[in-house]
Amino acid sequence: MTTSDSCSLHDKNLNTHNHSTHEHHCNCCHHEDDNTHHEANFHEYQQKIYKIDNIDCANCAAKIETKLNELPEIEHASLTFLTKQLKITAKNPDELLDTITKIANTIEPGVTITPFQNNAIPSGYVEKIYTIDNIDCANCAAKIEHKLNELPEVYNATLTFATKQLKIVAKNPDELLPTMRKIADSVEPGTTITLRSENKKSIDTQDTNFFNKKNIAIAEIVLGAILFVIGEFTDLVPDKFSLYLYIIAYLILGWKIIKTAITNLFRGNVFDENFLMSIATLGAFGIKEYPEAVGVMLFYRIGEYFEERATEKSRSQIMEAVDLRPETVNLIKDDKIISLPAEKVQVNDIILVRAGDRIPVDGTVIEGESRLDTSPVTGEPVPIKISPNSHVTSGCLNISGVIKMRVDKILSESMVSRILQSVENAAANKPKIDRFITRFARIYTPIVVAIAAITAIIPSLITGNWEYWIYTALTFLVISCPCALVLSVPLAFFSGIGRGSRQGILFKGGLAIEALKNIKTIVMDKTGTITEGSFKVKEINPTEKHSAKELLSYCASAEKFSTHPIATSIVNEAINQQITLQTAQENQEIAGEGLVCKINNQNILCGNKRLMKRFNIALPDDIKNSASTEIFIAINNEYAGSIIIGDTIKKDAKTTIQKLKSLGLVTAMLTGDNEHTAHAVANEVGIDKVHAKLLPDGKLEKLSSLRSEYGNVFFVGDGINDAPILAGADVGAAMGSGADAAIEAADVVFMNSKVHSILQAISISRDTLKIAWQNVVFAIAVKVLIMVLGLAGYASMWAAVFADTGVAMICILNSIRILYKKY
């Protein structure tokens, strides 16, 4: 909504964007002289993108951006902390690189700035995505990733345990496959690495072979448990045979662990979990604690089994919610229905979607009517009606009727694939806490092993009680595996990302979730964010010489080729009133003011007050500023009337903003509209700070000012026209409604465009961080507690097994509880 002093609807630079907002048109009318001068000089400048590394502080990033913008040689600088991307607009950005680097280092020493190419992939390198299977240990995944990154041929390797995705950037990744497989197998034997298929489901199909890995593990555990129970709790076995019984039980339960330990030992993996468990249990045999050795191995295997199943179950629960890709589609060809693999369907193919089926790919309905459940994509529970010419998004559920649809996008480009890719990439984008725990895990095990060695030797030399202190040291070896620690953080973030996806909120990564927790200020665009952005004709006010129908006809005819939402609303109103649109001649657009044209030999002016003033058109004295857009029409240089266009505030805006303020967050609005419109909307919904009549550069300045005054900023816009501000915020979110451009633009995308999603995103972020830290603190606390109790003589190796696999299971269960919480 804008006032009568707003500009007209026209901006040829925005006509290509269906989601363009009226606010950006309005920018021209307030600053037309300065803006013209700016555009004339802007062509002398060029924009370069750089990668900025070794920067770990969002506030430092903001300071660097401010100092760079103060340089007279730089027209504009934008530093995005989350993506480590620096955009410089200057006459010759490369010449300023040394100066820029010096400035950055004065604020945060060690920062490096390099040219940004092909999404941070250097020239000559390519990115390949592989699936890594049979990997059951989060700590092993971290080790594999570390070893792959040490390869000189690899530019970057990212292994995401939660999704089993391995992303390799190298000159020829496929040539490195044998080396990568060898490295993975050296850390965790049995792993396989395969190129990810386009339509391979993220959840692996269950192996139906009876002698599969899972069934063999169960058989070993059951048989070992039976022998252990016979030896421990009955008198069926004579004492002289009990040792042999324990040895057989131990070999059944532990042969694979011992074999792996020996193999890894020769490969240099001294602190491997299998090796430590083998040493601990064999050491128990050495001090004649036979039942303890077998029992610990038994409960370790049981804990390991349930840990793997719990991890796989949690992974499946999340991926089943986000992997909506179909296996097959029903292709209609020559009046026959053919079942075809979904990845083989092509653009313009006609497919059949029955009631109860998911929409397989993005397309357009050509026949039939139905209702569509969009909640899998947007989180919005209310079904929508679809009919011929309706655009349908893949992943949505066809509820009632049978429809035929034309394929607009192949599977890999459809929304189901884009959502899955977004979730997988988000899981691979590791937050600081995850990187910290991974680094901590590398030193944790050696430290605990060293403590175990000291515990075994020094107290024994002093007291002479070697058996007791060796047993205590063996307890420490069981605790020394950091798996629970390494698993606890990424699974918590993966669960948060999955929960957001269910709500129609796409987080671009763990960094976005982590940054949201520290947000102090919510800054919002107006049109399309707080308001619906769907303009409608509210009033037609003709003078006595003209009729409302005549006024609407002239205005709609002048505007019929514009794609701007306000122009569309005028044309749609004319069509609804069954007015035949005419062709305008000598159509001239005056930027920021309106249109001048000729229709039926009548000179038509259609625009704002500035346009009327330019042509000396006298307006009535009773025209007042209002919180709506008012388009003035003049016919043959005489005022003929006005058309008032209105926007609607979103239903959930007021309640959401109240809840945000109750969390102690400051709310602000940045808009290109005038003061009257901005304050009218802000007052209705309860926004604290309002800044109106802003150009994009002005919005960036206000954003920096709000950050300096109140703290980290979360900006929410439409994801298309607000790209500079999205980049300049600590976290940027787009009200995308699933638009491709919105998905590419921001750190967070709200698929349903609801204001309530802002509150949900912040709540999910806070809960995710809370759960991650709960897991970390709990895992470390239990391990330390068992160590202290062990030193005091109260903790056995059985307790140590709980501190390892038991704690891991509890962390897994704690992580996935966010999936069931209501937001």
Side-chain angles (χ1 to χ4, degrees):
M1 294 183 290
T2 59
T3 70
S4 56
D5 198 31
S6 298
C7 69
S8 76
L9 346 170
H10 324 285
D11 188 336
K12 58 187 176 184
N13 295 323
L14 295 178
N15 283 346
T16 57
H17 301 299
N18 292 332
H19 291 72
S20 300
T21 67
H22 186 62
E23 291 175 46
H24 292 80
H25 281 285
C26 298
N27 291 336
C28 306
C29 65
H30 299 300
H31 305 273
E32 70 274 18
D33 295 329
D34 293 339
N35 197 43
T36 303
H37 176 70
H38 173 77
E39 287 186 8
N41 291 331
F42 190 80
H43 295 293
E44 300 174 15
Y45 292 84
Q46 57 175 307
Q47 185 185 80
K48 275 286 188 83
I49 302 175
Y50 301 91
K51 183 183 178 185
I52 182 163
D53 287 315
N54 302 325
I55 183 167
D56 300 313
C57 167
N59 187 45
C60 295
K63 289 180 180 178
I64 292 170
E65 180 184 271
T66 301
K67 284 193 172 291
L68 293 180
N69 277 302
E70 290 173 353
L71 290 177
E73 301 92 340
I74 291 179
E75 176 69 12
H76 178 65
S78 172
L79 200 169
T80 308
F81 174 70
L82 286 178
T83 60
K84 308 292 174 74
Q85 189 179 96
L86 173 64
K87 290 182 181 178
I88 298 292
T89 302
K91 289 183 178 180
N92 195 326
D94 289 339
E95 286 186 356
L96 299 171
L97 197 54
D98 288 341
T99 304
I100 292 169
T101 304
K102 286 178 182 177
I103 290 173
N105 273 272
T106 60
I107 296 171
E108 186 159 355
V111 167
T112 61
I113 301 175
T114 54
F116 194 93
Q117 298 176 328
N118 297 329
N119 294 324
I121 299 175
S123 177
Y125 287 78
V126 295
E127 180 182 271
K128 280 285 186 79
I129 298 176
Y130 302 89
T131 297
I132 183 163
D133 287 314
N134 301 324
I135 184 167
D136 302 313
C137 166
N139 189 45
C140 296
K143 288 180 180 179
I144 293 170
E145 179 184 88
H146 182 67
K147 285 181 176 291
L148 291 176
N149 276 303
E150 289 179 340
L151 292 175
E153 303 92 338
V154 172
Y155 177 75
N156 184 51
T158 305
L159 200 168
T160 311
F161 176 71
T163 60
K164 296 187 177 180
Q165 175 182 279
L166 173 61
K167 190 180 291 185
I168 297 290
V169 178
K171 288 187 176 179
N172 196 326
D174 289 340
E175 283 188 358
L176 295 173
L177 260 177
T179 305
M180 293 191 295
R181 286 167 176 158
K182 187 176 179 180
I183 288 172
D185 194 65
S186 71
V187 176
E188 185 160 358
T191 55
T192 61
I193 301 176
T194 53
L195 187 64
R196 172 157 294 192
S197 171
E198 181 182 344
N199 194 31
K200 181 183 177 184
K201 278 287 186 179
S202 299
I203 308 304
D204 296 329
T205 54
Q206 189 172 357
D207 189 352
T208 55
N209 182 9
F210 180 78
F211 295 103
N212 58 35
K213 182 180 176 182
K214 177 182 175 183
N215 288 341
I216 290 173
I218 293 173
E220 289 172 349
I221 290 171
V222 170
L223 184 57
I226 291 172
L227 294 176
F228 173 74
V229 169
I230 291 173
E232 182 73 6
F233 298 106
T234 72
D235 298 324
L236 298 177
V237 180
D239 289 340
K240 62 180 179 179
F241 293 114
S242 61
L243 175 60
Y244 301 113
L245 193 67
Y246 285 129
I247 291 174
I248 294 170
Y250 181 81
L251 291 175
I252 291 172
L253 292 165
W255 72 271
K256 191 181 297 182
I257 291 171
I258 294 172
K259 178 187 173 184
T260 304
I262 294 171
T263 303
N264 288 350
L265 182 62
F266 284 105
R267 291 170 175 170
N269 293 333
V270 180
F271 296 120
D272 174 74
E273 180 183 17
N274 297 284
F275 177 74
L276 295 169
M277 184 56 63
S278 298
I279 292 296
T281 50
L282 289 173
F285 264 102
I287 59 174
K288 299 181 181 182
E289 293 286 347
Y290 310 126
E292 193 92 350
V294 178
V296 166
M297 184 62 78
L298 170 64
F299 280 90
Y300 172 74
R301 287 293 305 274
I302 292 172
E304 185 184 50
Y305 174 81
F306 281 109
E307 180 185 336
E308 290 175 9
R309 299 286 78 76
T311 303
E312 195 59 41
K313 181 68 175 175
S314 62
R315 180 190 288 122
S316 299
Q317 282 182 309
I318 298 167
M319 294 308 293
E320 282 173 1
V322 298
D323 193 355
L324 305 174
R325 296 172 300 169
E327 296 287 350
T328 59
V329 297
N330 296 317
L331 178 70
I332 300 175
K333 192 170 185 179
D334 300 327
D335 295 328
K336 294 180 180 179
I337 299 175
I338 305 169
S339 182
L340 188 74
E343 66 268 22
K344 292 187 177 181
V345 71
Q346 298 297 316
V347 173
N348 292 326
D349 281 349
I350 306 301
I351 59 178
L352 184 75
V353 183
R354 299 184 176 95
D357 292 345
R358 290 193 186 278
I359 303 297
V361 291
D362 295 357
T364 303
V365 178
I366 60 170
E367 184 180 317
E369 293 185 352
S370 184
R371 296 186 72 79
L372 207 63
D373 177 7
T374 64
S375 60
V377 176
T378 66
E380 177 58 52
V382 181
I384 62 171
K385 184 179 179 181
I386 56 172
S387 56
N389 297 321
S390 296
H391 175 74
V392 287
T393 302
S394 54
C396 299
L397 189 66
N398 184 26
I399 298 176
S400 50
V402 178
I403 61 169
K404 291 180 182 179
M405 59 173 282
R406 181 183 67 249
V407 176
D408 293 340
K409 293 182 181 179
I410 60 174
L411 178 65
S412 61
E413 297 174 1
S414 290
M415 185 56 64
V416 284
S417 295
R418 296 192 64 116
I419 289 174
L420 177 63
Q421 183 183 22
S422 178
V423 170
E424 289 182 328
N425 289 341
N429 186 351
K430 299 175 183 179
K432 288 182 183 178
I433 180 178
D434 191 4
R435 294 197 296 270
F436 165 75
I437 290 298
T438 302
R439 290 195 298 268
F440 175 75
R442 290 183 195 146
I443 63 169
Y444 166 80
T445 300
I447 288 173
V448 176
V449 171
I451 293 172
I454 293 169
T455 303
I457 297 170
I458 295 178
S460 298
L461 291 173
I462 296 172
T463 64
N465 191 354
W466 285 87
E467 185 175 319
Y468 172 80
W469 291 109
I470 289 175
Y471 178 85
T472 303
L474 294 176
T475 301
F476 290 176
L477 289 182
V478 177
I479 297 172
S480 64
C481 177
C483 242
L485 278 172
V486 178
L487 179 65
S488 61
V489 173
L491 194 57
F493 275 83
F494 189 44
S495 298
I497 290 165
R499 187 68 184 95
S501 179
R502 285 186 180 184
Q503 299 293 135
I505 301 169
L506 295 184
F507 293 103
K508 289 294 186 70
L511 282 170
I513 293 178
E514 201 169 44
L516 269 176
K517 181 181 179 294
N518 301 316
I519 289 301
K520 304 297 181 184
T521 313
I522 310 296
V523 179
M524 291 164 279
D525 186 22
K526 183 179 71 65
T527 307
T529 302
I530 300 170
T531 66
E532 296 287 354
S534 54
F535 297 92
K536 293 183 180 179
V537 174
K538 296 174 70 175
E539 292 181 35
I540 302 175
N541 303 311
T543 59
E544 294 180 356
K545 293 183 179 180
H546 303 278
S547 67
K549 193 170 184 179
E550 179 186 10
L551 208 63
L552 182 60
S553 175
Y554 279 127
C555 191
S557 297
E559 302 290 354
K560 69 178 180 179
F561 293 114
S562 174
T563 59
H564 191 278
I566 294 180
T568 302
S569 70
I570 295 172
V571 174
N572 287 341
E573 181 64 24
I575 293 172
N576 291 339
Q577 294 191 24
Q578 298 182 339
I579 295 174
T580 302
L581 301 185
Q582 303 173 67
T583 302
Q585 293 91 32
E586 301 177 14
N587 200 320
Q588 178 191 0
E589 179 180 346
I590 300 177
E593 296 184 14
L595 284 173
V596 179
C597 62
K598 185 173 284 189
I599 301 174
N600 288 341
N601 295 320
Q602 304 285 315
N603 294 320
I604 307 297
L605 301 177
C606 181
N608 60 16
K609 281 184 179 181
R610 293 174 182 267
L611 184 69
M612 299 297 112
K613 185 177 180 181
R614 176 185 289 271
F615 288 91
N616 298 314
I617 305 299
L619 297 178
D621 296 333
D622 58 352
I623 289 179
K624 298 179 180 179
N625 288 326
S626 65
S628 296
T629 299
E630 191 163 9
I631 308 302
F632 301 103
I633 298 97
I635 301 174
N636 292 329
N637 296 320
E638 185 178 323
Y639 176 71
S642 68
I643 297 176
I644 296 177
I645 313 295
D647 194 1
T648 307
I649 293 174
K650 291 181 179 179
K651 294 179 181 178
D652 61 340
K654 186 173 183 179
T655 55
T656 299
I657 288 166
Q658 287 176 345
K659 289 177 181 178
L660 290 171
K661 290 166 73 173
S662 70
L663 294 176
L665 299 171
V666 176
T667 57
M669 178 201 294
L670 302 182
T671 178
D673 275 350
N674 58 74
E675 300 284 351
H676 299 283
T677 303
H679 283 283
V681 172
N683 289 338
E684 186 166 344
V685 299
I687 290 177
D688 300 314
K689 306 291 180 181
V690 183
H691 300 282
K693 299 174 67 175
L694 297 174
L695 287 170
D697 285 351
K699 287 186 178 182
L700 277 171
E701 289 176 9
K702 290 297 181 185
L703 192 79
S704 298
S705 174
L706 288 166
R707 180 194 285 117
S708 300
E709 187 174 357
Y710 299 107
N712 291 6
V713 172
F714 182 23
F715 178 79
V716 187
D718 62 17
I720 297 172
N721 297 317
D722 291 311
I725 314 161
L726 286 167
D730 296 284
V731 184
M735 292 285 187
S737 298
D740 289 351
I743 289 179
E744 299 296 334
D747 307 309
V748 186
V749 179
F750 300 139
M751 302 292 285
N752 55 26
S753 290
K754 287 186 172 292
V755 184
H756 183 58
S757 295
I758 301 172
L759 180 64
Q760 289 177 321
I762 292 171
S763 300
I764 291 171
S765 164
R766 292 183 174 185
D767 286 344
T768 299
L769 265 295
K770 188 186 297 180
I771 288 171
W773 278 111
Q774 284 173 354
N775 288 346
V776 170
V777 171
F778 176 71
I780 293 176
V782 170
K783 288 177 181 289
V784 170
L785 178 63
I786 297 300
M787 290 178 70
V788 172
L789 291 176
L791 289 170
Y794 295 107
S796 65
M797 290 176 69
W798 299 67
V801 172
F802 169 78
D804 181 32
T805 56
V807 167
M809 275 194 296
I810 292 172
C811 289
I812 291 167
L813 296 174
N814 188 45
S815 296
I816 63 173
R817 68 185 174 87
I818 196 172
L819 296 173
Y820 306 100
K821 185 173 181 178
K822 291 185 179 180
Y823 288 97

